[in-house]
DNA sequence: GTTAGGG
DNA sequence: CCCTAAC
């Protein structure tokens, strides 16, 4: 339908129905979370190589070693797109409806081969292969074993037999929406899903979308997805849509917004509302509705998976000691807080996985994203939290309260003043995307992805906007330009810009240049900048910052968790803005192949103190050597940094130590007395174990004998 | 999630 | 400490 509505007249005699009108899509993507890691970060291509032979089988799981940046990015964009769509649809109506052509005289005529066009996008491939949930797209995804899924899907395929669906602008509108909705899925367009999404979009998307869809004139549609899209675009709209509609990876989905409905401050965090199943943890900071919760939940879960995929990295270096202090947070993240809040301190599970989330990253910005905690965790007392960074970018935390006092003494120029900002969103340069109506949603996705990827791949620049003005002088201090800790920083913005040094080469990743042309595509999407998107104010710092005895002291049972300080920071998120962002960027490893497979951040080494050893020995003497969890609970319950695995390992080393000559021992000497106890305990328990092994059916036997 | 054990 | 395998 609608074909006739095409302003063919305006298109200078082009009547051939074969000629399609190119849609010019202006996608101003705002708030692209670029949780991709350093600018030099290259998505690891090599799957993690098992360190041990038995790891061979682990290959099955190693698919995750794939680059996720593109995906992340896309997800972000998608979320944003969706959000923007919501916001800008209105404007679309105007331009697209009343004056489609005038909207932008860029209606291009182009011979479009309506035939299938196999398209391969590397970037897209990346995406697809990272989509761990591509379950829905099994059709194209070859599963974990084949990380690189060439999306050979033709446009037709992508859209399935309903390609006609996007034949008119109306459908396009829908498509766009669908795209946005599906971006987070980053799945290879599986026909059913695609069309499905599309349908859903037109059928069920209420409000703006439908409206737009209806209004978009056939063919000539110019969507100017621009405007001040807050990350706050509420997903609620979507919430009402069909359950099958994919949830956009809205920022809020990701961010571990634990803010419960009542916590509109955005900083007032509930301590333990992070139940995976309840997904109460991922509600919008301000708008919390049942509608959204579900979706957010989904998003959250998705994120969860992403997290698990190791692809998301957080800036750990910043929070050195946060390893401990943030433990809960981390864990929550990684584990989706499974019962962490409710259950006793069961050992730190998944410690390794959790850790994987933390990669070295010098840049850490609170973007309201996935990694809220790290930064937000710092926002202890609400308000502006002052943070100090050492030259390494390590955070030397100091909360606003105290810092403020001291800081004021320091004077204006005091370097002690640190501004904490929350970058709720990054503005990505405008993207101009031309895509034929006949393009599939899948291709649109790829196009957008490529565009974004290209930008990012070319290297990024961060722009700072203060009150709309771009601050170009990098040498000025924050204070000089008016960014001071005391100010309301709502006027502060950040943009992500293509690296100027990069020649804006046209995106060529597409195999069909005619098909897709993208503006503002600096370079090949070979690399993605990992800009960590840390959580915003909603961060979950409620974590029990329990005075865990991580200070080489024996955990005392009285080490009760301190009441989580509910932060009352202004909703203006706070974000760590490393004084030297350029340096920070520079610090980002440029290595293509991070050493430890994925540059996994190893936990800080924390040698056991004698006291700890003693506690361990004592516990083992009591409980035996096979109940590490109990040992942990018994003696190290409050030592969050000691997992039962750690204890087990320590015991192992203790035994070893006890058996070697004192000269061979290293580190803090352990009293011989303890070592002796270790040996005896070890002997005793191993003996017990042997007994059990030798006499397994003891009970039955006993019974029989009796 | 735990436990055990190699790295 | 890390990583897996096997429960």
């Amino acid at each position: 339908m609608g074909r006739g509505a095409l302003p063919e007249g305006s298109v200078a005699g082009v009547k051939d129905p074969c000629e399609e009108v190119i849609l010019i899509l202006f996608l101003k993507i705002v708030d692209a979370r670029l949780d991709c890691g350093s600018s030099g970060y290259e998505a690891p291509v090599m799957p993690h190589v098992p360190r041990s032979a038995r790891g061979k089988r682990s290959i099955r799981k190693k698919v995750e070693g794939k680059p996720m940046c593109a995906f992340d990015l896309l997800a972000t964009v998608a979320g944003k797109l969706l959000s923007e769509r919501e916001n800008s649809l209105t404007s679309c109506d105007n331009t697209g409806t009343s004056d489609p052509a005038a909207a932008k005289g860029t209606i291009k005529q182009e011979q479009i081969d309506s035939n299938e066009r196999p398209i391969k996008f590397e970037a897209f491939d990346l995406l697809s292969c990272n989509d761990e949930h591509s379950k829905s797209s099994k059709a194209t995804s070859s599963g974990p074993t084949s990380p690189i899924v060439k999306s050979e899907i033709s446009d037709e395929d992508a859209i399935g037999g309903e390609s006609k669906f996007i034949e008119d602008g109306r459908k396009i509108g829908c498509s766009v929406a669908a795209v946005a909705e599906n971006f987070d899925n980053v799945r290879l367009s599986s026909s059913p899903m695609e069309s499905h999404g599309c349908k859903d979009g037109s059928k069920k998307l209420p409000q703006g979308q439908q409206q737009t869809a209806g209004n978009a004139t056939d063919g000539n549609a110019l969507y100017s997805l621009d405007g001040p899209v807050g990350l706050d675009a509420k997903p609620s709209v979507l919430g009402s849509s069909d359950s099958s509609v994919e949830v956009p990876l809205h920022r809020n989905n990701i961010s571990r917004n634990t803010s419960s409905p009542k916590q509109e401050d955005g900083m007032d965090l509930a301590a333990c509302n992070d139940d995976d199943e309840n997904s109460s943890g991922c509600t919008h900071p301000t708008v919390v509705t049942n509608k959204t919760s579900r979706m957010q939940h989904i998003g959250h879960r998705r994120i969860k998976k992403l997290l698990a995929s190791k692809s998301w990295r957080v800036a750990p270096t910043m929070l050195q000691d946060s390893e401990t202090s943030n433990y809960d947070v981390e864990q929550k993240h990684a584990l989706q807080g499974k019962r962490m809040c409710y259950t006793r301190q069961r050992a730190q599970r998944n410690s390794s996985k959790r850790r994987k989330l933390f990669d070295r990253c010098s840049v850490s910005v609170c973007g309201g994203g996935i990694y809220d905690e790290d930064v937000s965790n710092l926002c202890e007392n609400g308000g502006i939290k002052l943070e100090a960074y050492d030259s390494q970018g390590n955070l030397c935390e100091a909360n606003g309260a105290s810092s403020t006092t001291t800081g004021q003494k320091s004077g204006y120029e005091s370097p002690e003043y640190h501004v904490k900002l929350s970058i709720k969103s990054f503005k990505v340069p405008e993207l101009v995307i031309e895509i034929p109506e006949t393009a599939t949603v899948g291709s649109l996705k790829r196009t957008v992805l490529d565009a974004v990827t290209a930008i990012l791949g070319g290297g990024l620049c961060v722009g700072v906007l203060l009150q709309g003005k771009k601050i170009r002088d990098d040498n000025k201090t924050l204070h000089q330009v008016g960014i001071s800790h005391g100010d309301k920083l709502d006027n502060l913005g950040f943009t992500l810009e293509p690296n100027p040094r990069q020649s804006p080469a046209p995106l060529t990743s597409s195999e069909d240049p005619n098909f897709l042309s993208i503006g503002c595509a600096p370079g090949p999407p070979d690399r993605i900048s990992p800009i960590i998107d840390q959580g915003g104010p909603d961060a979950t710092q409620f974590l029990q910052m329990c005075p865990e005895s991580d200070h080489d002291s024996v955990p005392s049972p009285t080490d009760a968790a301190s009441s989580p300080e509910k932060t009352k920071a202004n909703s203006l998120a706070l974000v760590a803005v490393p004084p030297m962002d350029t340096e920070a960027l520079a610090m980002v490893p440029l290595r293509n192949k991070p050493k430890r497979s994925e540059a996994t951040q190893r936990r800080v080494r924390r040698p056991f103190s004698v006291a700890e050893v003693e506690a361990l020995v004592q516990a083992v003497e009591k409980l035996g050597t096979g109940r590490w969890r109990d040992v942990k609970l018994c003696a190290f319950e409050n030592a969050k940094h000691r997992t039962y695995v750690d204890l087990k390992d320590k015991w192992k080393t203790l035994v070893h130590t006890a058996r070697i000559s004192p000269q061979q021992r290293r580190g803090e000497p352990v009293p011989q007395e303890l070592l002796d106890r270790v040996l005896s305990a070890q002997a005793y328990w191993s003996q017990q174990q042997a007994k059990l092994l030798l006499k397994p059916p003891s009970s039955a036997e006993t019974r029989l004998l009796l």
Side-chain angles (χ1 to χ4, degrees), chain A residues 543-657:
Chain A
L543 345 174
Q544 307 183 349
M545 300 291 275
C546 98
E548 47 176 290
S549 33
D550 56 344
H551 304 300
D552 288 350
S553 63
V554 175
S556 71
T558 55
D559 254 358
S562 62
S563 65
E565 281 226 52
K566 295 204 172 185
T567 341
K568 275 282 186 179
N570 31 15
S571 45
L572 292 184
L574 308 178
V575 132
V577 178
M580 55 323 163
D581 50 351
T582 49
E583 292 173 52
L585 282 172
M587 289 164 65
V588 175
L590 294 177
R591 219 181 298 95
N592 290 341
K593 289 184 179 179
K595 287 177 181 177
R596 299 178 107 260
S597 62
E598 292 182 47
T600 310
Q601 175 70 58
R602 192 183 177 106
R603 274 200 300 164
V604 240
R605 187 167 176 277
R606 287 160 166 270
F608 275 71
S609 63
V610 173
E612 283 178 299
V613 170
E614 163 128 37
L616 175 60
V617 171
Q618 189 174 317
V620 172
E621 285 174 335
K622 184 168 72 176
L623 301 168
T625 54
R627 303 166 59 190
W628 300 110
R629 193 182 78 84
D630 292 333
V631 170
K632 156 73 179 173
L633 262 38
C634 170
F636 293 80
E637 176 149 27
N638 291 308
K640 299 191 192 316
H641 60 296
R642 303 293 188 202
T643 69
Y644 47 72
V645 174
D646 292 333
L647 302 179
K648 185 253 317 175
D649 289 341
K650 179 56 183 174
W651 184 260
K652 184 172 64 176
T653 60
L654 276 177
V655 171
H656 178 257
T657 300

Side-chain angles (χ1 to χ4, degrees), chain A residues 239-412:
Chain A
S240 58
S241 57
D242 181 25
S243 59
S244 60
V245 175
E246 293 295 336
V247 178
L249 221 174
H250 188 281
R251 171 183 162 282
N252 292 309
N253 294 331
I254 305 170
S255 64
R256 73 177 310 18
N257 255 318
T258 44
S259 54
S260 58
K262 53 202 178 253
Q263 309 164 309
E264 300 198 345
D265 293 288
M267 282 300 279
D268 191 1
L269 304 172
C272 299
N273 57 354
D274 182 57
D275 184 297
D276 189 24
E277 298 315 314
N278 296 328
S279 77
S280 54
C282 46
T283 43
H284 191 283
T286 52
V287 182
V288 179
T289 64
N290 291 330
K291 278 196 290 185
T292 61
S293 66
R294 183 169 110 312
M295 299 177 42
Q296 292 176 335
H297 176 50
I298 297 173
H300 198 175
R301 296 186 60 167
R302 181 160 278 130
I303 295 306
K304 177 176 171 183
K305 291 191 178 180
L306 293 181
L307 289 174
S309 73
K310 303 181 184 178
S311 296
W312 300 84
R313 299 281 143 120
V314 187
T317 39
M318 264 182 78
L319 314 167
Q320 258 201 351
D321 197 37
S322 60
E323 169 90 13
T324 26
S325 57
N326 286 333
Y327 180 75
D328 286 297
V329 194
E330 301 172 14
Q331 195 159 53
K332 285 199 164 203
H333 252 348
L335 304 176
Q336 282 298 302
K338 288 182 180 174
R339 70 179 180 168
M340 271 317 277
C341 291
Y342 316 106
T343 67
R344 50 196 180 175
Q345 295 279 351
R346 290 203 86 174
Q348 340 303 166
R349 326 189 153 157
N350 245 344
S351 56
S352 63
K353 281 187 183 176
R354 165 172 60 80
R355 253 175 266 113
K356 286 186 178 181
L357 298 177
F358 294 80
D359 189 5
R360 279 167 212 296
C361 188
S362 310
V363 185
S364 171
V365 294
C366 277
I370 312 197
Y371 305 109
D372 305 353
E373 298 83 342
D374 293 319
V375 170
S376 47
N377 184 23
L378 305 170
C379 313
E380 288 263 88
N381 300 323
I384 297 207
K385 168 82 176 275
L386 303 181
E387 298 175 358
Y389 296 86
D390 63 17
S391 56
Q392 302 303 311
N394 290 320
L395 176 66
C396 309
E397 188 176 336
N399 69 37
S402 57
S403 297
T404 302
T405 9
T406 56
Q408 288 178 339
K409 295 174 185 174
S410 324
Y412 294 126

Side-chain angles (χ1 to χ4, degrees), chain A residues 77 90 192 325:
Chain A
V77 173
T90 311
S325 57

